[in-house]
């Protein structure tokens, strides 16, 4: 089982969107998947309430109980657990970080957002966990921007940037209104293809050697 914690101090960077999108993708590939929602704003939980399908499962949890929820998921045969966290999360989510194999830090493509990931990178380092930045919301018509943002991040921080990214796409916004994600709302869309590429990259990378396989 792989446990991925979505972490960023900034609201709106894409933590909940990425958690829900990856979960639906895993579900589509017949994997057992669970989202543990640690955010008091309950974005993932409310998304699930709007959803027709029961899967992927979302459980709201107190941060202190997260280890139990992860252990239970493993006993139940889950392949993937995604932990969605609130912005400005501090010591409260340290148990979630300890329970994770990978800390995934979504970051939008702007200098303010790049500045704002410093805390998350430090928190991941403090917990001695593999961490990686996912560039989210990249403008679709700016071909050099991925490389520029990737360079800006790796020049500033000791953290790898995933070679796959998510562009700014309306399908992420529209699908969420009906408790879906691009993968089930618009399966042939570019947004769905990007989510699939992200999912494959994360799931086909063996646990424990995650860091070596990410580009720097
Ligand atoms: N790649 C994207 N393209 C378009 N909209 C996005 C994208 N990622 C996130 N959003 C939108 O941005 C808003 C904030 O995203 P969310 O996942 O809730 O952020 P966080 O959980 O980090 O606060 C939501 O309305 C979501 O639909
Ligand atoms: Mg959120």
């Amino acid at each position: 089982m792989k446990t991925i914690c979505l972490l960023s101090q900034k609201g709106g960077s894409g933590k909940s969107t990425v958690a829900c999108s990856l979960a639906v993708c895993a579900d589509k590939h017949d994997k057992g998947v669970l989202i543990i929602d640690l955010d008091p704003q309950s974005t993932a939980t409310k998304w699930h309430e709007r959803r027709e399908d029961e899967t992927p499962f979302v459980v709201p949890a107190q941060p202190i109980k997260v280890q139990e929820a992860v252990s239970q998921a493993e006993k139940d045969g889950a392949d993937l657990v995604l932990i969605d966290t609130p912005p400005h999360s501090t010591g409260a989510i340290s148990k979630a970080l300890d329970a994770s194999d990978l800390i995934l830090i979504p970051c939008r493509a702007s200098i303010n957002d790049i500045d704002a990931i410093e805390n998350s990178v430090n928190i991941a380092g403090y917990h001695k966990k593999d961490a990686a930045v996912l560039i989210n919301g990249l403008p679709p018509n700016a071909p050099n921007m991925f490389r520029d943002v990737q360079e800006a991040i790796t020049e500033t921080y000791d953290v790898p940037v995933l070679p796959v990214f998510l562009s700014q796409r309306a399908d992420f916004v529209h699908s969420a209104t009906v408790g879906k994600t691009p993968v089930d709302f618009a399966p042939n869309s570019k947004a769905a293809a990007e989510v699939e590429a992200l999912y494959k990259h994360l799931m086909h990378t063996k646990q424990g050697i995650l860091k070596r396989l990410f580009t720097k």
Side-chain angles (χ1 to χ4, degrees), residues 17-33:
T17 300
V18 172
C20 296
S21 297
L22 285 174
V24 168
C25 204
D27 189 52
K28 184 191 137 191
H29 289 282
D30 287 328
K31 300 288 180 195
V33 57

Side-chain angles (χ1 to χ4, degrees), residues 170-188:
D171 282 326
F172 285 101
V173 183
H174 291 150
S175 58
T177 60
V178 288
K180 290 190 173 190
T181 71
V183 168
D184 49 352
F185 181 78
N188 298 319

Side-chain angles (χ1 to χ4, degrees), residues 1-7 15 18-19 22-23 26 33-36 38 66 70 79-85 96-97 99-106 129-132 134 162 198-205 207 210 214:
M1 189 180 83
K2 200 169 269 187
T3 303
I4 299 175
C5 184
L6 281 305
L7 178 71
K15 294 177 288 299
V18 172
L22 285 174
V33 57
L34 175 73
I35 298 176
I36 299 176
L38 299 188
V66 71
V70 171
D79 301 287
L80 177 65
V81 171
L82 296 148
I83 305 177
D84 192 19
T85 65
L97 301 172
S100 302
D101 304 305
L102 174 71
I103 297 171
L104 192 56
I105 304 169
K129 288 287 174 179
D130 281 331
L134 167 67
L162 294 187
L198 170 64
Y199 172 77
K200 287 202 177 92
H201 186 79
L202 292 170
M203 292 307 280
H204 296 176
T205 306
Q207 217 164 298
L210 286 163
F214 294 136

Side-chain angles (χ1 to χ4, degrees), residues 118-132:
E118 181 175 6
N119 244 340
S120 302
V121 174
N122 289 341
I123 291 170
Y126 178 76
H127 284 266
K128 297 191 170 50
K129 288 287 174 179
D130 281 331

Side-chain angles (χ1 to χ4, degrees), residues 33-120:
V33 57
L34 175 73
I35 298 176
I36 299 176
D37 185 3
L38 299 188
D39 188 351
Q41 286 185 51
S42 311
T43 307
T45 306
K46 288 179 186 158
W47 168 84
H48 189 259
E49 283 166 9
R50 289 193 299 275
R51 187 171 171 79
E52 243 174 52
D53 293 354
E54 199 189 2
T55 58
F57 298 111
V58 180
V59 289
Q62 296 295 322
I64 196 84
K65 301 264 186 199
V66 71
Q67 181 65 64
E68 285 167 38
V70 171
S71 302
Q72 189 60 48
E74 185 143 40
K75 277 186 211 139
D76 293 346
D79 301 287
L80 177 65
V81 171
L82 296 148
I83 305 177
D84 192 19
T85 65
H88 315 297
S89 42
T90 51
I93 59 141
S94 70
K95 284 187 190 311
L97 301 172
D98 288 338
S100 302
D101 304 305
L102 174 71
I103 297 171
L104 192 56
I105 304 169
C107 179
R108 286 185 178 264
S110 84
I111 189 65
N112 290 338
D113 291 83
I114 295 170
D115 277 351
I117 64 170
E118 181 175 6
N119 244 340
S120 302

